[in-house]
Amino acid sequence: CRFLRGLYLMRVVCLISGKGTNLQALIDWQANGLLGDARIVAVISNTAAALGLERAGNAGIPTKILSQRDFSNRCAFDHALIQFIDVYEPNLVVLAGFMRILTSGFVTHYERRLINIHPSLLPKYKGLNTHKRALGAGDKNAGATVHWVTPELDAGDIIRQVKVPISREDTEETLKAKVLNAEHSLYPSVIRDLSLGLIKC
Ligand code: GAR
């Protein structure tokens, strides 16, 4: 990534669509001085109702809303999204529950500056319903993965994973909660380590 460690802060723009519990974890780590040289400089949501916008607002982080409904096609939306994001000159763009498939034009623009968190042990269970599929397959472990984003869905290089054991009593809901809880330390730790140069961009 285009980031000179030690000289500048790593400017992070987060994209969200919903609850924003991962965003909250990042905000909390930052507030406690645990996010290394990373600073969240903006949060952008594609839904006005996203609870994550409130979380960002409470933390004094600038927010923007850009809805795909205002655009006639994917390329036009992604183009506008790039304009929104680049105002903040990010070194890193963080997908934190941003539930849209991005065009290859968008992904290429942020090559090696764009990361995602996905609720499965990739390469297993790309896409949706990851917990249901892990339970259905009788897996012993579920988990979450942080990876670089490439044009192919959930297929970029893996940066770090966390495993969560599946117990016999687990339902889709309990497993989702356990994995989400694990995500809340995985994502901030990866962003901290990227900002400190402990993970190569
Ligand atoms: C998280 O579990 C994240 O892994 C998942 O959405 C949830 C967002 O929760 N992301 C994906 O499925 C992306 N393919 P949050 O809004 O509470 O952070």
Side-chain angles (χ1 to χ4, degrees), residues 95 100-108 111 114-116 118 122-123 126-127 147-158:
L95 304 180
R100 272 187 71 77
I101 294 176
L102 295 158
T103 57
S104 61
F106 182 95
V107 173
T108 307
E111 196 179 2
L114 181 60
I115 61 174
N116 181 42
H118 182 77
L122 289 173
K126 297 173 182 173
H147 64 94
W148 294 106
V149 178
T150 55
E152 196 187 332
L153 182 70
D154 298 331
D157 288 348
I158 290 171

Side-chain angles (χ1 to χ4, degrees), residues 70-89:
D70 298 331
F71 298 86
S72 55
N73 60 60
R74 230 168 238 288
C75 280
F77 174 75
D78 280 11
H79 183 73
L81 187 55
I82 288 176
Q83 312 290 311
F84 262 48
I85 295 170
D86 284 355
V87 166
Y88 298 99
E89 301 183 347

Side-chain angles (χ1 to χ4, degrees), residues 7-200:
L7 282 181
Y8 307 103
L9 291 175
M10 171 179 260
R11 297 171 61 82
V12 175
V13 170
C14 292
L15 304 190
I16 61 163
S17 298
K19 278 203 209 137
T21 64
N22 275 292
L23 171 68
Q24 187 66 57
L26 297 176
I27 289 171
D28 292 346
W29 279 50
Q30 177 170 300
N32 290 314
L34 299 173
L35 209 56
D37 287 344
R39 288 297 173 276
I40 307 164
V41 293
V43 171
I44 301 175
S45 173
N46 65 326
T47 15
L51 181 58
L53 287 169
E54 219 174 294
R55 299 178 189 277
N58 290 339
I61 299 166
T63 59
K64 285 262 190 311
I65 300 162
L66 189 70
S67 170
Q68 57 274 12
R69 293 204 198 125
D70 298 331
F71 298 86
S72 55
N73 60 60
R74 230 168 238 288
C75 280
F77 174 75
D78 280 11
H79 183 73
L81 187 55
I82 288 176
Q83 312 290 311
F84 262 48
I85 295 170
D86 284 355
V87 166
Y88 298 99
E89 301 183 347
N91 307 103
L92 188 70
V93 178
V94 168
L95 304 180
F98 188 66
M99 300 310 276
R100 272 187 71 77
I101 294 176
L102 295 158
T103 57
S104 61
F106 182 95
V107 173
T108 307
H109 181 81
Y110 295 108
E111 196 179 2
R112 242 32 195 187
R113 281 194 293 159
L114 181 60
I115 61 174
N116 181 42
I117 189 157
H118 182 77
S120 80
L121 293 170
L122 289 173
K124 273 189 166 180
Y125 314 130
K126 297 173 182 173
L128 299 174
N129 302 318
T130 55
H131 309 300
K132 193 176 179 179
R133 287 152 74 198
L135 287 169
D139 290 356
K140 289 203 165 58
N141 293 294
T145 304
V146 178
H147 64 94
W148 294 106
V149 178
T150 55
E152 196 187 332
L153 182 70
D154 298 331
D157 288 348
I158 290 171
I159 300 174
R160 191 175 288 167
Q161 293 184 309
V162 63
K163 263 190 199 168
V164 173
I166 298 180
S167 71
R168 272 199 291 161
E169 295 76 38
D170 268 324
T171 62
E172 205 180 329
E173 281 67 40
T174 60
L175 186 57
K176 184 178 175 181
K178 285 201 280 190
V179 171
L180 192 58
N181 191 48
E183 290 181 37
H184 295 160
S185 349
L186 174 68
Y187 222 4
S189 72
V190 165
I191 292 165
R192 176 200 61 205
D193 289 353
L194 278 166
S195 83
L196 297 176
L198 301 173
I199 297 171
K200 268 203 185 151

